[in-house]
Amino acid sequence: MKSIWDNDINQNNKFSILNDNISTDVCIIGGGITGISIAYELFKNNIDFVLLEKDKICSKTTNFSSAKITSQHGIIYSELTNKYGEEFTKYYLEANNNAIFNIQKIIERENIQCDFKYEDAYIFTQNVSDVNIIKDEYKTLNKLGSKDVELLENIDVNINCCQAIKFKNQASFNPVKYTLSLANIIHNKNKNIFENTCVQNIKEKDGKYIINTSNYLVTTKYVVLATHFPIKDIPGFYFLKMYQNTSYIIAVDIGTNEFNGMYINYEDPTISLRSLKQNNKTILLIGGNNNKTGDIDTIDKYSSLEKLAYKLYPNSKILCRWNTQDCISIDKVPYIGRFSKYTRNMFVATGFNKWGMTTSNVAANIITDMILNKQNKYEWVFKATRYKLSKNIKEVYYIANQTMQSMIVNKFKIKEENIDTIPNNTGKIIKVNGKNIGIYKNEDGKIYKINPYCSHLKCLLTFNSLDKTWDCPCHGSRFDIYGNVINSPASKKIEYTT
Ligand code: FES
């Protein structure tokens, strides 16, 4: 699976594996846009740090993003106002608007070539019955003092639209070029970014954290968990207040056609559109068709996106397709700040709800200020230790119910079956001699068997026939057919036999 940004990953990088024990002030774990943005702010403030990434820098979630930099986060402002009030929502909007400006300033200051461009972002509905929801959102934005929004009845794309809001002066960029450029700027000076360095555990001793990678130790005062899903479960309990959602993207060559703006619809299934230029051609990114990770069989998720591409531009050429997992917090506001009330010097940034390109910058500023003991005016909005059960009861019930099904109920639904009856090119969990086994038979009938329980908290996995992976419906871990982890929070391989 390759994204449109994939070719930019390996160019001119000099990061190595950690090859010595290190003592530092801050250890950032995770080398995507969030970790690197935090690293950049620490670098600007002359704070001593190291960054550890278990794979290649920027090769995971950042690489799979559609890379919109925007405060247009779906219909969120009326929802947040109802839940948390006007002041909270105003700060949320302002923090994200500032992030667009901050990113543009960094690009300008560091002279980064990453195809940054300002463009308008639109939220629209295709349903007459949802017109009032869009109008209410617009009213809320006006009340919040947003001057850069406009209510429209049409959008400039050949798809049905009943009502839309335009957010002016939003932006898009190449997320890999941006993040790697920042990483190279930091590393050229300090040689403190390490890739292919997997953290095994984090222990606290004498007021410091000892971070164990397979071969070396990092001793540090502060830890920042900037991994996609926090690699530590306790005492943060993020697995109880977050789930993962998978969305699908195709990149389409639409030739010399012009395409302006970034679009997302309100209803399901999601349609998300934005364009970029490559070799004088316009490449359209069409995304959507989201599902909760591990929830359903995902066999034809790309075909409707391709159908839309051909409808919009009959001569479309499909260049590549990929999917990505996003962490969704229960109230759709990211968790940024102290990891828990009991770990004063451990910080986290997660739950970006698909808008991580923008909120990674918010996170970088909040966490850097917290380390510097400086007041940040947005800290209280994104506070990671918040847990307002009464305001999010529906979402909490949803997460608890899904977890209960996969942890307990579904395990008893598996039927005794003969492996021979499973057709080729199929994955399934069956019972053999009273034991549940995950079976995948490839096109030639070769059998791959796994123990079908997630190595995170033992939920029953489901087979994803689109990617040929085993996915966890509880918190979104994913494993390949050999049981290797391809998406966290799981960190351990699951048992595999042939
Ligand atoms: Fe938590 Fe699987 S991801 S149990």
Side-chain angles (χ1 to χ4, degrees):
M1 189 172 70
K2 280 193 164 194
S3 84
I4 194 76
W5 327 110
D6 226 80
N7 290 339
D8 298 311
I9 290 178
N10 291 317
Q11 289 173 15
N12 304 321
N13 305 324
K14 307 170 190 91
F15 317 111
S16 64
I17 189 167
L18 181 69
N19 51 13
D20 206 351
N21 292 333
I22 290 187
S23 208
T24 183
D25 289 334
V26 184
C27 179
I28 301 166
I29 305 172
I33 190 169
T34 305
I36 298 292
S37 299
I38 295 167
Y40 179 72
E41 291 305 322
L42 297 179
F43 169 74
K44 296 298 293 170
N45 283 284
N46 294 316
I47 299 171
D48 188 46
F49 71 91
V50 295
L51 183 146
L52 311 177
E53 161 59 43
K54 81 173 164 59
D55 297 300
K56 288 196 85 58
I57 295 294
C58 210
S59 62
K60 289 296 185 75
T61 315
T62 305
N63 175 30
F64 295 128
S65 168
S66 62
K68 297 174 179 173
I69 312 170
T70 180
S71 57
Q72 201 305 296
H73 295 178
I75 297 292
I76 190 169
Y77 294 103
S78 28
E79 196 180 321
L80 287 182
T81 304
N82 289 338
K83 236 178 223 179
Y84 295 138
E86 233 170 81
E87 195 192 6
F88 179 100
T89 313
K90 211 173 186 164
Y91 272 61
Y92 177 91
L93 174 64
E94 190 182 290
N96 281 288
N97 278 336
N98 285 351
I100 304 170
F101 178 74
N102 292 343
I103 291 171
Q104 188 264 326
K105 281 280 155 225
I106 293 171
I107 290 167
E108 202 175 279
R109 186 191 311 134
E110 304 295 352
N111 193 19
I112 296 172
Q113 306 302 313
C114 62
D115 313 323
F116 177 93
K117 63 173 174 178
Y118 276 116
E119 52 187 336
D120 299 328
Y122 300 78
I123 169 88
F124 67 98
T125 181
Q126 301 189 288
N127 295 336
V128 178
S129 55
D130 291 330
V131 162
N132 283 339
I133 291 172
I134 302 285
K135 285 185 173 167
D136 283 350
E137 182 79 346
Y138 177 70
K139 271 190 217 149
T140 305
L141 284 158
N142 274 327
K143 260 203 215 156
L144 296 173
S146 182
K147 297 208 171 53
D148 282 343
V149 289
E150 204 178 306
L151 191 65
L152 304 167
E153 275 169 17
N154 283 305
I155 53 173
D156 210 8
V157 181
N158 186 21
I159 41 182
N160 173 37
C161 166
C162 297
Q163 194 79 56
I165 306 170
K166 169 159 89 174
F167 284 59
K168 296 174 197 161
N169 300 321
Q170 311 295 295
S172 63
F173 66 168
N174 176 324
V176 170
K177 281 187 183 167
Y178 172 77
T179 309
L180 277 179
S181 300
L182 282 186
N184 280 319
I185 289 164
I186 300 163
H187 194 69
N188 284 346
K189 191 141 188 232
N190 293 343
K191 307 279 174 276
N192 54 353
I193 295 181
F194 301 95
E195 58 182 18
N196 298 314
T197 302
C198 184
V199 170
Q200 310 285 323
N201 58 55
I202 307 170
K203 290 196 174 129
E204 215 176 339
K205 197 177 167 207
D206 303 330
K208 296 249 176 183
Y209 290 104
I210 316 287
I211 295 171
N212 195 347
T213 70
S214 352
N215 298 316
Y216 298 99
L217 299 177
V218 176
T219 306
T220 178
K221 181 167 182 198
Y222 300 100
V223 175
V224 181
L225 302 176
T227 49
H228 170 67
F229 204 108
I231 55 166
K232 208 172 150 53
D233 280 335
I234 297 169
F237 298 104
Y238 288 84
F239 60 90
L240 294 178
K241 49 186 195 176
M242 208 161 69
Y243 63 93
Q244 294 197 59
N245 197 289
T246 302
S247 46
Y248 304 81
I249 306 180
I250 58 172
V252 186
D253 177 354
I254 58 167
T256 51
N257 290 296
E258 281 301 314
F259 188 95
N260 295 311
M262 308 184 288
Y263 301 83
I264 194 163
N265 64 337
Y266 165 65
E267 54 277 332
D268 278 334
T270 304
I271 302 168
S272 161
L273 304 163
R274 71 152 281 204
S275 67
L276 56 114
K277 287 273 184 204
Q278 258 182 15
N279 305 324
N280 292 326
K281 297 246 175 83
T282 304
I283 311 295
L284 184 61
L285 302 187
I286 308 180
N289 277 341
N290 312 342
N291 60 268
K292 183 172 178 286
T293 306
D295 228 13
I296 51 166
D297 197 315
T298 45
I299 193 80
D300 70 348
K301 287 288 184 172
Y302 295 109
S303 60
S304 62
L305 302 179
E306 290 174 7
K307 217 160 134 189
L308 177 60
Y310 292 124
K311 183 183 162 225
L312 293 174
Y313 298 98
N315 295 324
S316 287
K317 285 190 205 101
I318 312 295
L319 301 177
C320 54
R321 48 191 221 168
W322 68 94
N323 58 61
T324 186
Q325 277 64 240
D326 289 292
C327 293
I328 316 291
S329 67
I330 49 173
D331 57 8
K332 303 203 185 93
V333 177
Y335 298 117
I336 301 169
R338 283 215 161 79
F339 177 69
S340 82
K341 288 178 183 152
Y342 310 102
T343 49
R344 194 163 170 75
N345 292 339
M346 184 178 287
F347 301 95
V348 69
T350 188
F352 291 139
N353 185 30
K354 299 183 186 299
W355 307 106
M357 296 298 106
T358 323
T359 29
S360 58
N361 180 272
V362 178
N365 286 300
I366 291 178
I367 290 176
T368 304
D369 283 348
M370 290 178 87
I371 289 171
L372 288 169
N373 229 348
K374 268 172 52 183
Q375 185 112 33
N376 183 297
K377 69 188 276 202
Y378 306 115
E379 186 185 320
W380 66 283
V381 173
F382 297 92
K383 192 172 172 184
T385 50
R386 72 184 185 277
Y387 193 72
K388 302 212 165 114
L389 182 63
S390 59
K391 292 191 188 284
N392 301 290
I393 196 82
K394 219 171 83 196
E395 293 81 358
V396 173
Y397 172 78
Y398 173 68
I399 293 176
N401 186 39
Q402 292 272 324
T403 305
M404 187 68 79
Q405 292 290 327
S406 307
M407 256 182 182
I408 301 165
V409 181
N410 291 349
K411 290 176 185 173
F412 295 103
K413 289 187 184 164
I414 310 295
K415 294 203 179 89
E416 196 80 37
E417 213 172 307
N418 190 325
I419 293 181
D420 297 341
T421 61
I422 297 176
N424 288 1
N425 204 17
T426 304
K428 196 175 181 188
I429 298 174
I430 59 169
K431 204 182 272 298
V432 178
N433 301 326
K435 195 179 167 203
N436 291 341
I437 302 177
I439 305 280
Y440 166 60
K441 254 191 204 180
N442 75 6
E443 294 82 354
D444 305 322
K446 185 171 175 200
I447 293 169
Y448 303 78
K449 290 183 205 163
I450 53 136
N451 177 12
Y453 299 106
C454 180
S455 63
H456 179 226
L457 294 175
K458 302 290 171 226
C459 283
L460 191 69
L461 301 170
T462 55
F463 189 73
N464 173 338
S465 45
L466 180 68
D467 287 333
K468 313 285 184 267
T469 57
W470 292 97
D471 298 354
C472 181
C474 283
H475 317 109
S477 293
R478 300 182 66 192
F479 303 86
D480 67 15
I481 53 169
Y482 304 100
N484 298 309
V485 180
I486 49 176
N487 192 52
S488 55
S491 57
K492 283 192 203 114
K493 188 177 169 29
I494 49 175
E495 200 186 309
Y496 161 78
T497 52
T498 46

mmCIF file of all heavy atoms in Angstrom, residues 316-336:
data_model
loop_
_atom_site.group_PDB
_atom_site.id
_atom_site.type_symbol
_atom_site.label_atom_id
_atom_site.label_comp_id
_atom_site.label_asym_id
_atom_site.label_seq_id
_atom_site.Cartn_x
_atom_site.Cartn_y
_atom_site.Cartn_z
ATOM 1 N N SER A 316 -10.135 9.931 -15.987
ATOM 2 C CA SER A 316 -9.299 9.767 -14.788
ATOM 3 C C SER A 316 -8.393 8.557 -14.893
ATOM 4 O O SER A 316 -8.784 7.513 -15.419
ATOM 5 C CB SER A 316 -10.194 9.541 -13.560
ATOM 6 O OG SER A 316 -10.824 10.716 -13.194
ATOM 7 N N LYS A 317 -7.170 8.720 -14.336
ATOM 8 C CA LYS A 317 -6.281 7.554 -14.201
ATOM 9 C C LYS A 317 -6.027 7.364 -12.716
ATOM 10 O O LYS A 317 -5.520 8.268 -12.048
ATOM 11 C CB LYS A 317 -4.946 7.809 -14.890
ATOM 12 C CG LYS A 317 -5.037 7.720 -16.375
ATOM 13 C CD LYS A 317 -3.612 7.738 -16.975
ATOM 14 C CE LYS A 317 -3.662 8.254 -18.395
ATOM 15 N NZ LYS A 317 -3.283 9.627 -18.579
ATOM 16 N N ILE A 318 -6.335 6.189 -12.208
ATOM 17 C CA ILE A 318 -6.127 5.939 -10.772
ATOM 18 C C ILE A 318 -4.637 5.661 -10.564
ATOM 19 O O ILE A 318 -4.077 4.740 -11.168
ATOM 20 C CB ILE A 318 -6.957 4.729 -10.275
ATOM 21 C CG1 ILE A 318 -8.415 4.809 -10.748
ATOM 22 C CG2 ILE A 318 -6.850 4.581 -8.747
ATOM 23 C CD1 ILE A 318 -9.246 5.929 -10.216
ATOM 24 N N LEU A 319 -3.986 6.451 -9.712
ATOM 25 C CA LEU A 319 -2.539 6.304 -9.502
ATOM 26 C C LEU A 319 -2.217 5.387 -8.318
ATOM 27 O O LEU A 319 -1.336 4.552 -8.393
ATOM 28 C CB LEU A 319 -1.903 7.671 -9.245
ATOM 29 C CG LEU A 319 -2.074 8.714 -10.351
ATOM 30 C CD1 LEU A 319 -1.456 10.022 -9.925
ATOM 31 C CD2 LEU A 319 -1.441 8.215 -11.646
ATOM 32 N N CYS A 320 -2.880 5.601 -7.231
ATOM 33 C CA CYS A 320 -2.648 4.737 -6.068
ATOM 34 C C CYS A 320 -3.808 4.845 -5.103
ATOM 35 O O CYS A 320 -4.635 5.746 -5.206
ATOM 36 C CB CYS A 320 -1.322 5.067 -5.361
ATOM 37 S SG CYS A 320 -1.125 6.775 -4.899
ATOM 38 N N ARG A 321 -3.869 3.884 -4.192
ATOM 39 C CA ARG A 321 -4.944 3.885 -3.201
ATOM 40 C C ARG A 321 -4.395 3.395 -1.886
ATOM 41 O O ARG A 321 -3.521 2.538 -1.855
ATOM 42 C CB ARG A 321 -6.126 3.056 -3.682
ATOM 43 C CG ARG A 321 -5.768 1.688 -4.215
ATOM 44 C CD ARG A 321 -6.943 1.055 -4.915
ATOM 45 N NE ARG A 321 -7.013 -0.370 -4.557
ATOM 46 C CZ ARG A 321 -8.014 -1.150 -4.802
ATOM 47 N NH1 ARG A 321 -9.084 -0.683 -5.407
ATOM 48 N NH2 ARG A 321 -8.001 -2.403 -4.450
ATOM 49 N N TRP A 322 -4.881 3.937 -0.825
ATOM 50 C CA TRP A 322 -4.380 3.546 0.484
ATOM 51 C C TRP A 322 -5.453 3.806 1.543
ATOM 52 O O TRP A 322 -6.465 4.453 1.255
ATOM 53 C CB TRP A 322 -3.095 4.308 0.811
ATOM 54 C CG TRP A 322 -3.192 5.784 1.041
ATOM 55 C CD1 TRP A 322 -3.332 6.414 2.244
ATOM 56 C CD2 TRP A 322 -3.145 6.833 0.057
ATOM 57 N NE1 TRP A 322 -3.372 7.781 2.077
ATOM 58 C CE2 TRP A 322 -3.262 8.073 0.741
ATOM 59 C CE3 TRP A 322 -3.038 6.864 -1.335
ATOM 60 C CZ2 TRP A 322 -3.268 9.303 0.102
ATOM 61 C CZ3 TRP A 322 -3.036 8.097 -1.976
ATOM 62 C CH2 TRP A 322 -3.147 9.290 -1.275
ATOM 63 N N ASN A 323 -5.228 3.283 2.713
ATOM 64 C CA ASN A 323 -6.141 3.609 3.808
ATOM 65 C C ASN A 323 -5.350 3.959 5.057
ATOM 66 O O ASN A 323 -4.154 3.697 5.150
ATOM 67 C CB ASN A 323 -7.152 2.498 4.057
ATOM 68 C CG ASN A 323 -6.517 1.177 4.384
ATOM 69 O OD1 ASN A 323 -5.799 1.057 5.368
ATOM 70 N ND2 ASN A 323 -6.751 0.172 3.548
ATOM 71 N N THR A 324 -6.035 4.572 5.986
ATOM 72 C CA THR A 324 -5.349 5.061 7.175
ATOM 73 C C THR A 324 -6.247 4.949 8.401
ATOM 74 O O THR A 324 -7.467 4.937 8.272
ATOM 75 C CB THR A 324 -4.910 6.532 6.959
ATOM 76 O OG1 THR A 324 -4.131 6.941 8.065
ATOM 77 C CG2 THR A 324 -6.091 7.468 6.807
ATOM 78 N N GLN A 325 -5.608 4.849 9.557
ATOM 79 C CA GLN A 325 -6.368 4.783 10.811
ATOM 80 C C GLN A 325 -6.231 6.109 11.547
ATOM 81 O O GLN A 325 -5.133 6.657 11.628
ATOM 82 C CB GLN A 325 -5.835 3.676 11.728
ATOM 83 C CG GLN A 325 -6.372 2.300 11.397
ATOM 84 C CD GLN A 325 -5.938 1.834 10.026
ATOM 85 O OE1 GLN A 325 -6.760 1.579 9.169
ATOM 86 N NE2 GLN A 325 -4.653 1.735 9.799
ATOM 87 N N ASP A 326 -7.343 6.598 12.053
ATOM 88 C CA ASP A 326 -7.307 7.810 12.881
ATOM 89 C C ASP A 326 -7.868 7.497 14.251
ATOM 90 O O ASP A 326 -8.812 6.706 14.376
ATOM 91 C CB ASP A 326 -8.163 8.911 12.234
ATOM 92 C CG ASP A 326 -7.513 9.444 10.979
ATOM 93 O OD1 ASP A 326 -6.468 10.097 11.085
ATOM 94 O OD2 ASP A 326 -8.055 9.183 9.889
ATOM 95 N N CYS A 327 -7.282 8.132 15.275
ATOM 96 C CA CYS A 327 -7.763 7.941 16.644
ATOM 97 C C CYS A 327 -8.846 8.970 16.934
ATOM 98 O O CYS A 327 -8.620 10.181 16.761
ATOM 99 C CB CYS A 327 -6.626 8.125 17.643
ATOM 100 S SG CYS A 327 -5.396 6.832 17.511
ATOM 101 N N ILE A 328 -10.002 8.491 17.358
ATOM 102 C CA ILE A 328 -11.136 9.385 17.599
ATOM 103 C C ILE A 328 -11.406 9.447 19.102
ATOM 104 O O ILE A 328 -11.687 8.424 19.737
ATOM 105 C CB ILE A 328 -12.416 8.862 16.878
ATOM 106 C CG1 ILE A 328 -12.103 8.398 15.440
ATOM 107 C CG2 ILE A 328 -13.521 9.894 16.937
ATOM 108 C CD1 ILE A 328 -11.739 9.466 14.466
ATOM 109 N N SER A 329 -11.321 10.632 19.663
ATOM 110 C CA SER A 329 -11.595 10.780 21.095
ATOM 111 C C SER A 329 -13.105 10.801 21.299
ATOM 112 O O SER A 329 -13.859 11.049 20.346
ATOM 113 C CB SER A 329 -10.989 12.089 21.599
ATOM 114 O OG SER A 329 -11.675 13.166 21.019
ATOM 115 N N ILE A 330 -13.549 10.575 22.530
ATOM 116 C CA ILE A 330 -15.005 10.465 22.711
ATOM 117 C C ILE A 330 -15.750 11.776 22.449
ATOM 118 O O ILE A 330 -16.897 11.755 22.079
ATOM 119 C CB ILE A 330 -15.399 9.917 24.113
ATOM 120 C CG1 ILE A 330 -14.669 10.646 25.218
ATOM 121 C CG2 ILE A 330 -15.234 8.431 24.207
ATOM 122 C CD1 ILE A 330 -15.150 10.267 26.601
ATOM 123 N N ASP A 331 -15.086 12.912 22.629
ATOM 124 C CA ASP A 331 -15.798 14.166 22.367
ATOM 125 C C ASP A 331 -15.266 14.889 21.132
ATOM 126 O O ASP A 331 -15.564 16.049 20.899
ATOM 127 C CB ASP A 331 -15.738 15.090 23.592
ATOM 128 C CG ASP A 331 -14.297 15.384 24.023
ATOM 129 O OD1 ASP A 331 -13.364 14.992 23.288
ATOM 130 O OD2 ASP A 331 -14.106 15.999 25.083
ATOM 131 N N LYS A 332 -14.452 14.190 20.345
ATOM 132 C CA LYS A 332 -13.875 14.698 19.079
ATOM 133 C C LYS A 332 -12.839 15.812 19.295
ATOM 134 O O LYS A 332 -12.424 16.484 18.355
ATOM 135 C CB LYS A 332 -14.960 15.169 18.116
ATOM 136 C CG LYS A 332 -15.972 14.103 17.773
ATOM 137 C CD LYS A 332 -16.645 14.423 16.454
ATOM 138 C CE LYS A 332 -17.745 13.441 16.138
ATOM 139 N NZ LYS A 332 -19.058 13.877 16.593
ATOM 140 N N VAL A 333 -12.438 16.033 20.522
ATOM 141 C CA VAL A 333 -11.380 17.011 20.810
ATOM 142 C C VAL A 333 -10.115 16.225 21.147
ATOM 143 O O VAL A 333 -10.175 15.277 21.945
ATOM 144 C CB VAL A 333 -11.777 17.911 22.005
ATOM 145 C CG1 VAL A 333 -10.651 18.881 22.351
ATOM 146 C CG2 VAL A 333 -13.043 18.680 21.680
ATOM 147 N N PRO A 334 -8.976 16.551 20.543
ATOM 148 C CA PRO A 334 -7.751 15.782 20.813
ATOM 149 C C PRO A 334 -7.351 15.806 22.281
ATOM 150 O O PRO A 334 -7.736 16.713 23.026
ATOM 151 C CB PRO A 334 -6.697 16.508 19.963
ATOM 152 C CG PRO A 334 -7.451 17.221 18.924
ATOM 153 C CD PRO A 334 -8.763 17.600 19.530
ATOM 154 N N TYR A 335 -6.577 14.813 22.678
ATOM 155 C CA TYR A 335 -6.007 14.761 24.028
ATOM 156 C C TYR A 335 -4.567 15.271 23.937
ATOM 157 O O TYR A 335 -3.698 14.593 23.380
ATOM 158 C CB TYR A 335 -5.995 13.335 24.555
ATOM 159 C CG TYR A 335 -7.372 12.708 24.691
ATOM 160 C CD1 TYR A 335 -7.732 11.586 23.940
ATOM 161 C CD2 TYR A 335 -8.310 13.239 25.582
ATOM 162 C CE1 TYR A 335 -8.990 11.009 24.071
ATOM 163 C CE2 TYR A 335 -9.572 12.668 25.715
ATOM 164 C CZ TYR A 335 -9.905 11.558 24.959
ATOM 165 O OH TYR A 335 -11.147 10.997 25.090
ATOM 166 N N ILE A 336 -4.336 16.451 24.504
ATOM 167 C CA ILE A 336 -2.995 17.043 24.461
ATOM 168 C C ILE A 336 -2.648 17.535 25.866
ATOM 169 O O ILE A 336 -3.409 18.300 26.459
ATOM 170 C CB ILE A 336 -2.948 18.246 23.482
ATOM 171 C CG1 ILE A 336 -3.334 17.803 22.055
ATOM 172 C CG2 ILE A 336 -1.570 18.900 23.483
ATOM 173 C CD1 ILE A 336 -3.565 18.951 21.082
#
